[in-house]
Amino acid sequence: MSFPISNERVNIMINGSRLLKHLHDLSQIGRNEVTGGINRFSFTPEEKQAIELITMYMEKAGMTVTVDAVGNIIGTYGEGRETIMLGSHIDTVPEGGKYDGALGVLAAIEVVQTIHEQQLSPAKKIEIVAFKDEEGTRFRFGLIGSRAMAGLLTQEQLLQTDASGISIEEAMKQFQLSPFPLEKVKRNDIQAYLEMHIEQGKVLENEGLPVGVVTGIAAPLWLEVTVTGVSEHAGATPMLIRQDALTAASEMILAIEHLLNDTTDSVATVGKLNVEPNGINVIPGKVTFTVDIRDIDEQKISNLENTIFKKIQKIAERRNVTLTSKVLQRVKPAKTDPMIQQQLINSIEKHGVQSYSLISGAGHDAMNIAAVAPIGMLFVRSKDGISHNPLEFSTDEDIILATNILYDSVVELAN
Ligand code: GLV
Ligand code: MN
Ligand code: MN
């Protein structure tokens, strides 16, 4: 059967209990039983297990599953010449929640499974991608799969290493992948890319609305700052002659917070700190910390990068320590496509819900795909705006409603 006419489509519903079961089952992989947090990082046994599970779901949904050269898992449905792509990620931050990324992949699979069960024949091919390493937890470098698909990943970036010195390239090879030449992963045939994701903020909750349409995505710049002082005896070194890397770094971190307190949209976070030699009775000789800077405006990110560097350089000079800074990752902010936005709005309104447009403060694979295709994003309300935390939560009702809206939009876009 080909696609039914529009007003019939809204009556076809996805299988909510199946989707919720999939969400639960995936959340058990990499779960810390004590905290409830999920730890699923790239190229690990946990990720492998998650890949096996979603591959099974994709196959049950009538999809053919392939893996591209950097490890993106791609389910394909139908044979149309044009491609509608749906996607998100299945890796997590340390102690992450069960919805970030996973929901987008599983909701997309549920949409295709519904299309399959309805025996519909979309005019366009539908692909679902679980992108390789969106979060960047393991290598302090993320969005790897979507970067590659957009032609933005370089061979040099694959040299970045994890905490035990294994590079992305080595990890890929250990996972039986042959990433080179990276150009073979690039796609130029995507007609539209759609990603459903939890909001991870409080905007929809404050508005009392279950879903929202994303207009733009703020992008992260990640820096790694190394402060080097002199490691000496904690008892025998007078206070005034110390070159303590940790007190210097502390002043820098507070200065960054101060600088950002004067801006309205930009945010910056120091989320990772490494102290050497990390001994109780040793003055810290070396400290490394990361800075995550975000804005929807690329120029503002770059201005902040300069201002922050100048400020912390002054602190380093005054405290007689040395400072180096390197860029771990830089991503371009992206705008979503007005036509896809309108399609999402139509689907939301068809379901009797008021539509609402908002910006994403969090980053998404869609940001990269924007370089090669028109993108759209549908947000689902997050409880208390909490995310990157085991307490991350969206209600079953909101999830099912959003997935029905996604279904409706995909049917329209694929026809
Ligand atoms: C991913 O969640 C990011 O925005 O860092
Ligand atoms: Mn995330
Ligand atoms: Mn995410």
Side-chain angles (χ1 to χ4, degrees):
M1 188 176 40
S2 62
F3 273 23
I5 55 164
S6 289
N7 56 358
E8 283 176 51
R9 279 181 209 146
V10 78
N11 298 322
I12 297 171
M13 304 288 265
I14 59 105
N15 183 334
S17 49
R18 176 173 59 203
L19 171 60
L20 297 174
K21 166 106 175 49
H22 286 177
L23 202 48
H24 172 268
D25 289 353
L26 180 54
S27 76
Q28 299 308 296
I29 303 175
R31 186 168 186 274
N32 176 338
E33 292 305 328
V34 178
T35 59
I38 303 170
N39 295 278
R40 216 162 42 223
F41 311 138
S42 55
F43 308 111
T44 60
E46 291 77 24
E47 188 201 41
K48 187 163 182 288
Q49 205 186 332
I51 290 171
E52 281 163 8
L53 187 68
I54 63 154
T55 299
M56 195 249 292
Y57 293 159
M58 284 175 170
E59 286 172 350
K60 277 197 177 159
M63 310 191 89
T64 305
V65 183
T66 53
V67 182
D68 73 12
V70 298
N72 291 316
I73 310 300
I74 307 174
T76 306
Y77 188 80
E79 285 166 0
R81 276 198 299 125
E82 292 170 312
T83 301
I84 301 297
M85 186 177 279
L86 309 174
S88 204
H89 60 98
I90 55 171
D91 65 309
T92 69
V93 293
E95 294 293 296
K98 74 184 242 200
Y99 304 90
D100 179 358
L103 176 62
V105 173
L106 296 174
I109 295 174
E110 182 54 41
V111 164
V112 171
Q113 185 149 10
T114 306
I115 289 172
H116 187 53
E117 286 167 355
Q118 296 294 324
Q119 297 182 307
L120 307 180
S121 308
K124 292 171 191 149
K125 186 161 67 188
I126 303 174
E127 288 185 32
I128 299 177
V129 185
F131 287 105
K132 176 60 70 187
D133 199 331
E134 190 267 358
E135 297 286 8
T137 302
R138 179 168 170 191
F139 299 98
R140 299 158 301 136
F141 180 80
L143 304 145
I144 295 174
S146 53
R147 261 180 228 272
M149 206 175 262
L152 302 169
L153 188 66
T154 64
Q155 200 160 338
E156 195 195 345
Q157 287 167 335
L158 296 192
L159 299 177
Q160 201 140 307
T161 54
D162 69 4
S164 52
I166 298 173
S167 70
I168 302 174
E169 181 183 333
E170 283 164 341
M172 283 181 170
K173 290 181 175 161
Q174 284 167 9
F175 237 58
Q176 272 72 56
L177 298 167
S178 310
F180 303 124
L182 287 165
E183 294 74 49
K184 68 188 168 193
V185 181
K186 185 176 181 193
R187 298 284 299 267
N188 286 308
D189 59 330
I190 309 164
Q191 243 217 341
Y193 172 83
L194 206 50
E195 180 164 351
M196 179 171 132
H197 204 284
I198 51 164
E199 183 204 332
Q200 310 178 280
K202 288 186 189 159
V203 175
L204 292 173
E205 190 174 68
N206 288 343
E207 294 294 327
L209 292 169
V211 292
V213 177
V214 176
T215 53
I217 310 170
L221 164 66
W222 285 3
L223 305 174
E224 184 176 73
V225 177
T226 302
V227 182
T228 308
V230 179
S231 181
E232 289 178 277
H233 196 290
T237 316
M239 296 307 287
L240 290 179
I241 64 162
R242 294 179 178 207
Q243 289 165 273
D244 184 330
L246 182 56
T247 49
S250 307
E251 191 176 335
M252 292 173 195
I253 294 165
L254 287 172
I256 293 170
E257 187 187 50
H258 254 95
L259 276 174
L260 268 290
N261 283 345
D262 294 334
T263 69
T264 45
D265 302 324
S266 314
V267 287
T269 306
V270 174
K272 213 169 148 84
L273 191 74
N274 188 54
V275 180
E276 292 177 37
N278 216 19
I280 290 191
N281 53 357
V282 189
I283 297 167
K286 185 171 162 188
V287 169
T288 306
F289 64 91
T290 55
V291 191
D292 171 316
I293 306 169
R294 307 214 187 191
D295 199 284
I296 192 82
D297 178 341
E298 208 177 359
Q299 188 57 49
K300 283 200 198 157
I301 297 175
S302 151
N303 293 347
L304 264 171
E305 180 184 4
N306 291 332
T307 317
I308 287 176
F309 187 77
K310 279 190 199 138
K311 183 85 192 172
I312 63 178
Q313 181 67 44
K314 273 208 181 115
I315 294 169
E317 281 162 19
R318 177 164 42 75
R319 284 182 164 269
N320 202 17
V321 294
T322 58
L323 181 82
T324 57
S325 166
K326 84 170 186 191
V327 173
L328 294 174
Q329 74 166 342
R330 194 186 292 276
V331 189
K332 265 186 186 305
K335 289 197 163 54
T336 61
D337 179 69
M339 262 171 47
I340 303 180
Q341 280 181 36
Q342 191 54 53
Q343 180 53 61
L344 288 167
I345 292 169
N346 295 347
S347 303
I348 291 169
E349 289 175 350
K350 246 193 233 175
H351 285 266
V353 177
Q354 184 195 324
S355 84
Y356 186 85
S357 297
L358 74 169
I359 278 173
S360 174
H364 302 286
D365 290 302
M367 287 184 298
N368 286 328
I369 301 302
V372 288
I375 60 159
M377 284 197 78
L378 177 66
F379 268 180
V380 186
R381 169 168 51 191
S382 290
K383 183 168 186 323
D384 299 327
I386 293 178
S387 183
H388 285 187
N389 183 310
L391 294 177
E392 185 177 275
F393 181 74
S394 293
T395 66
D396 295 351
E397 293 71 27
D398 286 357
I399 286 170
I400 292 168
L401 170 69
T403 310
N404 276 312
I405 290 165
L406 183 70
Y407 169 83
D408 197 53
S409 301
V410 171
V411 166
E412 291 289 344
L413 288 168
N415 211 11

